[in-house]
Amino acid sequence: MKKSKVFAIIVYFIFTFGIGIVFSMTLPGYFATFTVPSQVVKSALRDEDFITGIVLTEPVGFYRHPVLDCKFEEGGGVVLYETVMEVYDRKSAEAGETSVNGLTHGMLYKCYEGYVYGVEDRYDVFSKTDNKTSLRVTAADGTEKVLPLLDYDSNGDGNNDGISSFEQNGFVLLEIREGDVPSVKSLAFTDRSGNTVFTAAAGQALTFQSVFFDCFGDIAAYNQLVADGNRANISDEELNALLGRRNDYVQEVKEKLGATADCAVTASSEEYAAAAKAIRNRANKKATPFIIVYFVVIYIIADFLLGSHLIIKFFQWFLFKVCKIPHKAKKAPKKEEVFGHDYFCMVTLKLDVSEIPEFNGSVEIKYSRDGEEAVFTLLKADGYSAALRLKAGLYVNPFIDIDRTYAPVDLPDNLEVEGYQMEQTVKIVKREVESI
């Protein structure tokens, strides 16, 4: 094999295997981050495992029992849990902007988090024009607040047209923040035409006050610490003092949640650990077929373009040797017999390599007749000459195994073996364009 070809093979495999390793390391993480969590939530809601759905929204902490759990007559329902969420929006923080009700990255807020589920075929929420889908929240004092549910713009006209989680997985993620409404007494869900399709009422008004929320103490004071830490030109000494006070607050909240029945820090809860494991397993299963196919494809490409055609040889061996499928013999042209065929001839086959002095590989040339093969193995050590004692007759189906950089120019389609001695020369030349 030429050095240039060896070099090409090495470069090809280093490059493709390097990409494959990166692919193997990043693809499971991509699925675990962007596609699998919503699929796990969908499965959990179908099984009414609502806590798994809640922990996968990744609140700071949550209360294990729903404060609103309403089933609809035709199936499905709505569920809400007490949670405290953290604002995660580094871009707005770096730009000095606020993102949620005057809050910025790292700040906390109280909310009721939950889902509308099991209504895929009964909730029409997509419309590119004048979409009136919304959540109408009635407070304890009877006042009503309209909260948006639409979150994506399908045609880029500046108006949201649908709910992404509903279109993709059949559920609607709900988040009712303390900054949105003072309390929650009932919910009404409207469709794209503005018609109320579903309603749900709490047993008693939800006022963002409970033993769970009490565990977080003075959230406003904590958020002020975050804001003070984000001031421009703050000294290192003052920043470290603020971070210390924030850490003290976090530790105190964790202790209170741990000591209060049915309250949990999400990151250390058993429910979150189980959900994270389910995501990892599903992401790995989803990524594995892609990774296997990738490595198989790069090997096939290498074998056909740079290798020794082992795949073709394997199938030839399997079909013709194992399965015993007969070769399709080429029709031999009619030839008037002179000597008959009941005798043997010494056939010498030579290669003319005068135009390729650098050639030093081996060559194998095969012909077949009546199910028997005549195989000439031509080596440089033998001067690229080989002799076989063959029965007279017509041999067909030529096959040559040679480095793809080179090719024969006058290999006979039919080898006519006649007489008691005969000689045939096959010229070998270099291809005009080398395989890469």
Side-chain angles (χ1 to χ4, degrees):
M1 188 181 290
K2 289 184 67 177
K3 290 183 179 179
S4 60
K5 188 173 182 180
V6 173
F7 178 74
I9 293 174
I10 292 173
V11 170
Y12 174 81
F13 277 111
I14 289 176
F15 180 72
T16 54
F17 268 79
I19 293 176
I21 291 171
V22 173
F23 195 47
S24 303
M25 294 173 63
T26 58
L27 191 59
Y30 170 82
F31 286 135
T33 302
F34 295 106
T35 63
V36 171
S38 59
Q39 296 171 0
V40 172
V41 169
K42 180 178 180 179
S43 299
L45 294 178
R46 185 179 58 242
D47 298 334
E48 296 192 0
D49 175 14
F50 302 128
I51 290 227
T52 293
I54 290 301
V55 298
L56 288 180
T57 64
E58 298 192 347
V60 175
F62 66 95
Y63 186 64
R64 286 190 169 90
H65 300 291
V67 291
L68 188 151
D69 185 1
C70 178
K71 301 291 192 299
F72 302 141
E73 289 184 4
E74 298 181 6
V78 57
V79 62
L80 290 178
Y81 284 78
E82 294 176 342
T83 63
V84 169
M85 307 293 289
E86 180 179 7
V87 179
Y88 189 84
D89 191 352
R90 291 188 181 278
K91 290 184 179 179
S92 67
E94 293 169 359
E97 302 171 350
T98 58
S99 58
V100 179
N101 294 323
L103 305 180
T104 190
H105 178 74
M107 293 183 178
L108 305 179
Y109 60 92
K110 300 177 184 179
C111 69
Y112 295 111
E113 197 86 7
Y115 295 93
V116 177
Y117 62 93
V119 295
E120 295 95 323
D121 57 343
R122 291 177 287 125
Y123 196 23
D124 191 0
V125 299
F126 183 82
S127 177
K128 293 183 180 180
T129 57
D130 194 25
N131 195 331
K132 296 177 181 178
T133 300
S134 67
L135 167 61
R136 298 180 182 274
V137 182
T138 302
D141 60 3
T143 58
E144 186 179 80
K145 178 70 177 291
V146 179
L147 301 180
L149 293 177
L150 304 175
D151 61 2
Y152 77 94
D153 179 6
S154 64
N155 56 7
D157 64 355
N159 297 312
N160 286 338
D161 306 319
I163 304 172
S164 56
S165 63
F166 190 73
E167 292 292 326
Q168 295 170 8
N169 295 289
F171 62 79
V172 180
L173 175 63
L174 301 177
E175 185 175 89
I176 304 174
R177 308 174 188 130
E178 185 182 28
D180 295 329
V181 293
S183 61
V184 178
K185 181 59 179 175
S186 64
L187 307 176
F189 298 89
T190 61
D191 63 12
R192 65 178 186 174
S193 301
N195 299 320
T196 299
V197 183
F198 308 110
T199 60
Q204 58 183 11
L206 309 178
T207 59
F208 299 95
Q209 301 295 323
S210 69
V211 292
F212 167 75
F213 289 127
D214 289 345
C215 292
F216 285 83
D218 191 349
I219 289 180
Y222 174 80
N223 289 343
Q224 187 58 51
L225 293 176
V226 176
D228 291 342
N230 290 334
R231 293 198 317 265
N233 302 320
I234 187 173
S235 66
D236 291 341
E237 182 179 356
E238 187 177 3
L239 179 60
N240 289 333
L242 290 171
L243 290 175
R245 292 169 62 187
R246 287 177 62 180
N247 290 335
D248 291 341
Y249 171 85
V250 171
Q251 185 59 38
E252 183 179 350
V253 168
K254 287 182 176 180
E255 291 175 359
K256 287 183 178 179
L257 288 172
T260 305
D262 297 319
C263 296
V265 178
T266 301
S268 58
S269 68
E270 59 185 24
E271 296 91 345
Y272 184 77
K277 182 179 180 180
I279 287 175
R280 286 195 302 272
N281 291 341
R282 188 175 292 203
N284 289 335
K285 288 180 181 178
K286 196 177 181 73
T288 298
F290 289 93
I291 295 169
I292 291 174
V293 168
Y294 173 81
F295 281 105
V296 169
V297 167
I298 65 172
Y299 174 76
I300 291 174
I301 293 174
D303 188 63
F304 275 90
L305 297 183
L306 300 171
S308 304
H309 310 295
L310 296 178
I311 296 173
I312 295 175
K313 291 178 180 177
F314 168 78
F315 280 107
Q316 287 177 333
W317 169 82
F318 181 77
L319 293 173
F320 300 126
K321 298 295 185 182
V322 177
C323 298
K324 304 296 184 182
I325 296 177
H327 286 276
K328 267 192 176 180
K330 290 185 178 179
K331 260 193 171 182
K334 290 184 179 179
K335 180 176 176 67
E336 191 176 325
E337 295 185 7
V338 177
F339 300 98
H341 293 134
D342 195 21
Y343 66 94
F344 287 85
C345 171
M346 183 60 69
V347 180
T348 302
L349 190 63
K350 296 182 177 181
L351 297 184
D352 178 0
V353 294
S354 58
E355 294 186 13
I356 48 171
E358 78 281 2
F359 181 77
N360 60 4
S362 63
V363 179
E364 188 176 84
I365 297 176
K366 299 179 184 178
Y367 284 91
S368 63
R369 176 178 181 270
D370 297 332
E372 297 181 0
E373 287 189 339
V375 182
F376 296 87
T377 302
L378 300 114
L379 306 173
K380 185 175 183 179
D382 299 328
Y384 291 113
S385 176
L388 291 177
R389 185 171 177 268
L390 302 177
K391 193 170 183 179
L394 190 65
Y395 290 76
V396 295
N397 296 324
F399 175 81
I400 184 168
D401 187 3
I402 190 173
D403 187 328
R404 284 178 59 83
T405 308
Y406 305 89
V409 295
D410 53 359
L411 181 66
D413 287 338
N414 301 300
L415 185 64
E416 299 177 7
V417 176
E418 57 184 7
Y420 294 100
Q421 283 189 347
M422 65 171 288
E423 183 176 300
Q424 180 77 42
T425 300
V426 177
K427 187 174 184 179
I428 304 296
V429 297
K430 194 170 186 179
R431 294 180 186 271
E432 293 184 1
V433 179
E434 292 190 26
S435 297
I436 296 176

